[in-house]
C-alpha cells in the first residue's frame, strides 16, 4: 500500500507530501526518544502534546516562510519549547518569554467586532494584522488544516491496518 | 486620469482615442486615408480651447443625415440642437449637445469646463430638459459605442466646419478604443463630482439619471470612498472564504464569520484528536495489540469466539476505566481517548454494531476505511455532527454497565 501511494503521487512536492514526510520523520524521532508505552495519564498527555506540536510544526515548515500564520505558528512552538526547556533548568525565568508574544501593536485589536477578535485568536499570528489580511490568512490556514487532517488520518489508517 | 480641474480634461479622453486611432487606421480598411483625419483632429484640438461664443454653427453645415443615426431620439436631439443654435445661440445649443452626449453615458463633465460656459447656468436648464430628454434617452441605453462617439464628434463638427462623413469613419476605428473608455466613463463622472459640485451646489442631484453617480454627500469625501473600497474588498474575500467553508449559505457577514470560526475550531479539534490517537506506531499501542490481531482473526470466525478473545483483551482496560470512573469521569474519558476509545450509550452502540455486523458478514475483509459508518468529517460535514469511525465492531456484549467500548479512530465532538 505504501508503494502504491508513492507511485501515484501527482505532485511530488505538494504541501501534503511535504507535510507527510516531515510529520512521519518527527513521529519517528518522538517514538524513539521516549520510553515504550506509558499508561499513566501525564505521560500520555505529554506525548499527545508533543505529537500535536510536531504536526503543527511540520505543517508550518512545509508551508514555508511566506505565510504569516506559518511563521507565527513556528515561533509559538519554539517559544513554548524553549520555555519548557528553560523552566526545567532555570526555574523562574519564563516571565521574559511570555512578554514576547504580546509585542504586536494593539490598535488592530481595539477596532473590530467580537467575531473578528475570536478569529484572531484562532488563527496563529492573527493579532497583528488588519482584517483583510486576516481573512486571507484564514483562507490559507483552513486549506492547510484540511490537508493536515487528511494526511494524519491516512497515516493512522496505515499504521493500524 | 481623473481630471480634477477643468483645464482641458476632455483632452484626456480624446488623446488615447487619437493614439489608438492612428494605430488602427493602418490596419482597418473601412474608411478614408489617414491624412484627412489627422487634419480633422488637429483642427478639433485647436478649436476646443475657444470659448463658447466662438462656436460657429454655420447654417450651411449639413447636419448628420438621419440615415447615419441609428436612433430616433438622437435625431430628435440633433434637430433640437440645430434649432437652438439657430434661435438662441451657443448656450442652449451646447446644452442640448450635452444632453446628446449624456445620453450615451459619456463623461460629460469633462466637456463642461472647456466651453467656458457657466456650469451653474447649464445645470439649471438641465432640469427642464430632463423630463423630455430622459424618456427618449433611456431607449437608447443599449446603443453601441459608435453612436456615442458620433454624438461626441458631432458636437465638434460644427465648430470646425467639416463635413459630417468623416467623424463617422473615424468612429468605426475608435470603437475598440472607446470600449475601454466607456468603462472608465462611469467611474469618471463620480470622480468629477468633486469638481462639479464645487461650483454647483445641487450638482449631485441635478445630474441626469443615466450616469452612475455617487450617493449624495459621499462623493466628496475621500475617506468614504476608501471605506467603500475596503468594504468591497472584504466582501470579495468573504465570498472566496465561503467556498472553503462547508456551510456556505451566506446570509450575512456576521453569520459567515461565525461559520468560519466554528470551522477553524473544528479542524483544530480534529488535529488534536488525531494526534491523541494511536499515532507513533507500535510503541503506543502495546496494550491494544492483542485486540488488533484478534480483530484480524475475527473476521473469518463467528462472533462468539471473537467476543471471548476480545473480552480478554479488553478486560485490563475495562478495569482501569472502572477504577478511573470512580474517581473522576474526566480522567476516565481522557484515558480512553489516549487509547483511541470513547464512551457511548449502549443503545447507540448496538445500533452501530448491528449495522457493522451486517456489512461485515457480506464483506469479511472490509477494512475500516470501507466501513459505511466511517462518517469522518474529513470532507464537508458540519462540525456539529458527531464523527465516529468504527475500526472494529468489538461490541462488549458484557451486558452489564451502561458503556460499551469500541475502537474508534476519532472521537465525537462533545
Amino acid at each position: 500500500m505504501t508503494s502504491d501511494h508513492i507511485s501515484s503521487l501527482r505532485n511530488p512536492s505538494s504541501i501534503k507530501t511535504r507535510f507527510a514526510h516531515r510529520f512521519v520523520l518527527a513521529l519517528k524521532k518522538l517514538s524513539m526518544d521516549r520510553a515504550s508505552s506509558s499508561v499513566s495519564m501525564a505521560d500520555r498527555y505529554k506525548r499527545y502534546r508533543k505529537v500535536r506540536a510536531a504536526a503543527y510544526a511540520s505543517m508550518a515548515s512545509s508551508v514555508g516562510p511566506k505565510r504569516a500564520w506559518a511563521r507565527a505558528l513556528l515561533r509559538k512552538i519554539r517559544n513554548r519549547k524553549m520555555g519548557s526547556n528553560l523552566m526545567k533548568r532555570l526555574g523562574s525565568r519564563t516571565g521574559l518569554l511570555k512578554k514576547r508574544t504580546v509585542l504586536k501593536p494593539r490598535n488592530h485589536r481595539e477596532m473590530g467586532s467580537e467575531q473578528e477578535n475570536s478569529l484572531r485568536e484562532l488563527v496563529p499570528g492573527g493579532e497583528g494584522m488588519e482584517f483583510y489580511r486576516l481573512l486571507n490568512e484564514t483562507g490559507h490556514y483552513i486549506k492547510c488544516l484540511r490537508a493536515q487532517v487528511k494526511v494524519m488520518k491516512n497515516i493512522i489508517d496505515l499504521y493500524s491496518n | 486620469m481623473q481630471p480634477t480641474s477643468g483645464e482641458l480634461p476632455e483632452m484626456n479622453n480624446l488623446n488615447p482615442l487619437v493614439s489608438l486611432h492612428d494605430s488602427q487606421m493602418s490596419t482597418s480598411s473601412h474608411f478614408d486615408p489617414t491624412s484627412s483625419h489627422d487634419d480633422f483632429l488637429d483642427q478639433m484640438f485647436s478649436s476646443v480651447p475657444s470659448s463658447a461664443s466662438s462656436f460657429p454653427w454655420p447654417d450651411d453645415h449639413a447636419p448628420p443625415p438621419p440615415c447615419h443615426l441609428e436612433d430616433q431620439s438622437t435625431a430628435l436631439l440633433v434637430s433640437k440642437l440645430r434649432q437652438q443654435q439657430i434661435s438662441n445661440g451657443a448656450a442652449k445649443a451646447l446644452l442640448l449637445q450635452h444632453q446628446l452626449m449624456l445620453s450615451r453615458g459619456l463623461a460629460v463633465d469633462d466637456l463642461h469646463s472647456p466651453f467656458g460656459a457657466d456650469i451653474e447656468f447649464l445645470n439649471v436648464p438641465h432640469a427642464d430638459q430632463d423630463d423630455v430628454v430622459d424618456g427618449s434617452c433611456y431607449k437608447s441605453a443599449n446603443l453601441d459605442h459608435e453612436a456615442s462617439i458620433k454624438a461626441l464628434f458631432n458636437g465638434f463638427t460644427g465648430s470646425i466646419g467639416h463635413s459630417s462623413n468623416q467623424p463617422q469613419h473615424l468612429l468605426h476605428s475608435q470603437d475598440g478604443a472607446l470600449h475601454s473608455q466607456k468603462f472608465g466613463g462611469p467611474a469618471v463622472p463620480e470622480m468629477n463630482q468633486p469638481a462639479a459640485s464645487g461650483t454647483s451646489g445641487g450638482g449631485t442631484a441635478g445630474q441626469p439619471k443615466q450616469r452612475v453617480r455617487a450617493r449624495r454627500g459621499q462623493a466628496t469625501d475621500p475617506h468614504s470612498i476608501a471605506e467603500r473600497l475596503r468594504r468591497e474588498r472584504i466582501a470579495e474575500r468573504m465570498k472566496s472564504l465561503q467556498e472553503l467553508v462547508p456551510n456556505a449559505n451566506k446570509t450575512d457577514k456576521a453569520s459567515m464569520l461565525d461559520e468560519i470560526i466554528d470551522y477553524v475550531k473544528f479542524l483544530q479539534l480534529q488535529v488534536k484528536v488525531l494526534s491523541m490517537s494511536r499515532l507513533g506506531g507500535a510503541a503506543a499501542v502495546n496494550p491494544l495489540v492483542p485486540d488488533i490481531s484478534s480483530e484480524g482473526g475475527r473476521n473469518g470466525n463467528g462472533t462468539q469466539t471473537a467476543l471471548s478473545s476480545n473480552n480478554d483483551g479488553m478486560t485490563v482496560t475495562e478495569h482501569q476505566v472502572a477504577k478511573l470512573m470512580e474517581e473522576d469521569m474526566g480522567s476516565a474519558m481522557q484515558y480512553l481517548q489516549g487509547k483511541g476509545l470513547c464512551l457511548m450509550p449502549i443503545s447507540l452502540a448496538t445500533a452501530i454494531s448491528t449495522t457493522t455486523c451486517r456489512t461485515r458478514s457480506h464483506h469479511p475483509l472490509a477494512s475500516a476505511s470501507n466501513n459505511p459508518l466511517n462518517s469522518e468529517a474529513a470532507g464537508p460535514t458540519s462540525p456539529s455532527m458527531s464523527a465516529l469511525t468504527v475500526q472494529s465492531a468489538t461490541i462488549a456484549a458484557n451486558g452489564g454497565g451502561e458503556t460499551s467500548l469500541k475502537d474508534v479512530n476519532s472521537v465525537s465532538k462533545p
Side-chain angles (χ1 to χ4, degrees):
Chain A
M1 184 179 169
T2 322
S3 56
D4 287 344
H5 263 304
I6 292 177
S7 59
S8 67
L9 282 177
R10 291 207 198 126
N11 183 359
S13 70
S14 74
I15 286 204
K16 279 191 190 171
T17 46
R18 291 205 301 262
F19 166 66
H21 196 62
R22 286 173 212 234
F23 186 47
V24 168
L25 284 178
L27 280 180
K28 235 168 125 181
K29 213 168 95 167
L30 266 182
S31 62
M32 279 201 280
D33 286 345
R34 57 184 162 73
S36 58
S37 76
S38 44
V39 189
S40 78
M41 283 294 301
D43 286 345
R44 280 186 190 275
Y45 185 70
K46 271 191 217 158
R47 179 166 56 87
Y48 139 67
R49 296 279 289 195
K50 282 189 194 151
V51 169
R52 192 180 71 159
Y56 279 126
S58 46
M59 186 75 224
S61 59
S62 54
V63 161
K66 280 193 187 166
R67 282 284 164 178
W69 67 263
R71 296 195 298 263
L73 189 54
L74 276 178
R75 220 183 311 145
K76 212 190 326 184
I77 293 176
R78 280 178 198 155
N79 284 350
R80 221 180 278 173
K81 190 173 166 194
M82 282 201 298
S84 67
N85 281 348
L86 278 177
M87 259 177 66
K88 287 176 199 161
R89 294 176 202 174
L90 300 181
S92 59
R93 292 286 297 273
T94 51
L96 277 175
L97 289 169
K98 275 193 187 165
K99 278 187 205 160
R100 214 187 288 177
T101 53
V102 197
L103 270 181
K104 282 300 175 179
R106 305 261 177 158
N107 47 6
H108 290 303
R109 194 183 304 164
E110 283 159 10
M111 329 178 345
S113 57
E114 188 185 310
Q115 304 159 318
E116 186 182 318
N117 286 340
S118 49
L119 191 59
R120 279 184 206 273
E121 286 168 32
L122 281 180
V123 176
E127 295 288 336
M129 22 173 126
E130 23 169 51
F131 192 50
Y132 181 72
R133 188 136 179 251
L134 180 67
L135 290 178
N136 267 347
E137 297 289 319
T138 305
H140 194 257
Y141 185 54
I142 286 180
K143 268 192 239 172
C144 291
L145 275 180
R146 278 161 72 145
Q148 187 177 8
V149 163
K150 273 188 208 160
V151 169
M152 283 171 80
K153 235 180 259 179
N154 285 336
I155 290 179
I156 288 175
D157 285 343
L158 197 66
Y159 275 116
S160 60
N161 283 347
Chain B
M1 181 196 139
Q2 303 176 10
T4 51
S5 69
E7 283 293 326
L8 282 176
E10 85 289 355
M11 300 286 284
N12 296 335
N13 279 339
L14 294 175
N15 274 332
L17 291 181
V18 174
S19 53
L20 275 171
H21 157 68
D22 284 336
S23 62
Q24 287 183 19
M25 280 299 289
S26 50
T27 57
S28 177
S29 58
H30 315 269
F31 37 73
D32 296 341
T34 321
S35 54
S36 54
H37 293 277
D38 285 343
D39 294 342
F40 171 75
L41 287 170
D42 287 345
Q43 290 194 9
M44 207 167 59
F45 289 139
S46 59
S47 68
V48 148
S50 54
S51 63
S53 55
S54 71
F55 273 80
W57 289 75
D59 287 343
D60 57 355
H61 161 57
C67 64
H68 287 279
L69 296 173
E70 289 144 15
D71 192 13
Q72 288 299 320
S73 60
T74 319
L76 174 70
L77 281 173
V78 169
S79 57
K80 264 197 191 173
L81 190 81
R82 294 204 311 112
Q83 281 174 11
Q84 293 287 357
Q85 80 199 27
I86 294 166
S87 56
N88 285 1
K92 277 253 172 174
L94 285 171
L95 194 123
L96 277 171
Q97 169 191 326
H98 293 324
Q99 283 295 341
L100 250 185
M101 290 179 237
L102 286 174
S103 73
R104 306 300 177 231
L106 281 181
V108 181
D109 270 344
D110 297 343
L111 301 170
H112 278 175
S113 30
F115 294 136
D118 212 354
I119 297 178
E120 288 168 359
F121 169 63
L122 281 176
N123 277 333
V124 169
H126 267 298
D128 308 334
Q129 306 277 347
D130 261 355
D131 300 329
V132 175
V133 173
D134 283 0
S136 55
C137 285
Y138 271 124
K139 287 182 216 154
S140 65
N142 295 329
L143 269 184
D144 55 357
H145 303 291
E146 290 187 9
S148 60
I149 305 163
K150 262 180 238 165
L152 176 64
F153 281 118
N154 283 341
F156 291 113
T157 318
S159 64
I160 301 163
H162 253 269
S163 73
S164 59
N165 287 328
Q166 287 189 351
Q168 288 154 20
H169 290 299
L170 266 178
L171 294 176
H172 285 290
S173 66
Q174 299 302 332
D175 222 7
L178 263 194
H179 266 291
S180 52
Q181 202 66 27
K182 173 101 175 187
F183 293 139
V188 176
E190 270 189 23
M191 297 307 168
N192 280 330
Q193 291 296 340
S197 59
T199 49
S200 60
T204 316
Q207 295 299 339
K209 294 172 191 141
Q210 303 93 314
R211 286 236 308 270
V212 175
R213 58 169 149 169
R215 283 174 222 109
R216 194 187 297 229
Q218 280 188 4
T220 55
D221 190 6
H223 293 300
S224 62
I225 291 178
E227 265 288 314
R228 193 160 9 122
L229 276 175
R230 179 176 172 266
R231 262 178 280 149
E232 281 166 9
R233 281 167 78 209
I234 288 184
E236 253 181 68
R237 265 285 131 205
M238 297 280 292
K239 251 190 231 166
S240 58
L241 270 180
Q242 184 182 342
E243 289 152 27
L244 274 183
V245 175
N247 288 342
N249 44 354
K250 171 180 180 174
T251 48
D252 66 308
K253 181 175 152 191
S255 61
M256 200 57 219
L257 269 180
D258 282 334
E259 277 298 328
I260 293 173
I261 289 174
D262 283 341
Y263 191 56
V264 170
K265 278 194 203 159
F266 168 66
L267 286 175
Q268 286 179 342
L269 179 70
Q270 266 196 315
V271 170
K272 171 176 165 177
V273 162
L274 284 174
S275 62
M276 268 196 218
S277 77
R278 297 174 286 155
L279 277 178
V285 197
N286 278 338
L288 293 172
V289 166
D291 289 335
I292 298 173
S293 56
S294 64
E295 283 167 41
R298 182 176 61 81
N299 287 331
N301 306 337
T303 42
Q304 280 297 332
T305 49
L307 284 176
S308 56
S309 58
N310 273 336
N311 277 342
D312 294 337
M314 284 302 203
T315 318
V316 176
T317 317
E318 280 178 31
H319 289 320
Q320 195 83 9
V321 172
K323 246 189 279 176
L324 280 173
M325 274 205 283
E326 285 161 31
E327 324 161 4
D328 172 25
M329 248 343 257
S331 60
M333 280 293 288
Q334 285 201 327
Y335 173 72
L336 281 174
Q337 283 178 8
K339 289 187 167 291
L341 307 173
C342 84
L343 296 179
M344 66 165 57
I346 200 157
S347 47
L348 182 59
T350 45
I352 293 177
S353 70
T354 46
T355 321
T356 318
C357 276
R358 233 178 282 131
T359 52
R360 290 239 171 201
S361 60
H362 291 309
H363 305 281
L365 297 175
S367 63
S369 53
N370 293 336
N371 193 310
L373 292 174
N374 188 354
S375 57
E376 284 291 347
T381 56
S382 164
S384 55
M385 260 173 53
S386 57
L388 278 182
T389 298
V390 181
Q391 275 291 76
S392 67
T394 47
I395 304 161
N398 45 353
E402 293 118 56
T403 70
S404 67
L405 304 177
K406 284 175 179 271
D407 278 284
V408 290
N409 225 4
S410 85
V411 174
S412 63
K413 185 175 171 180

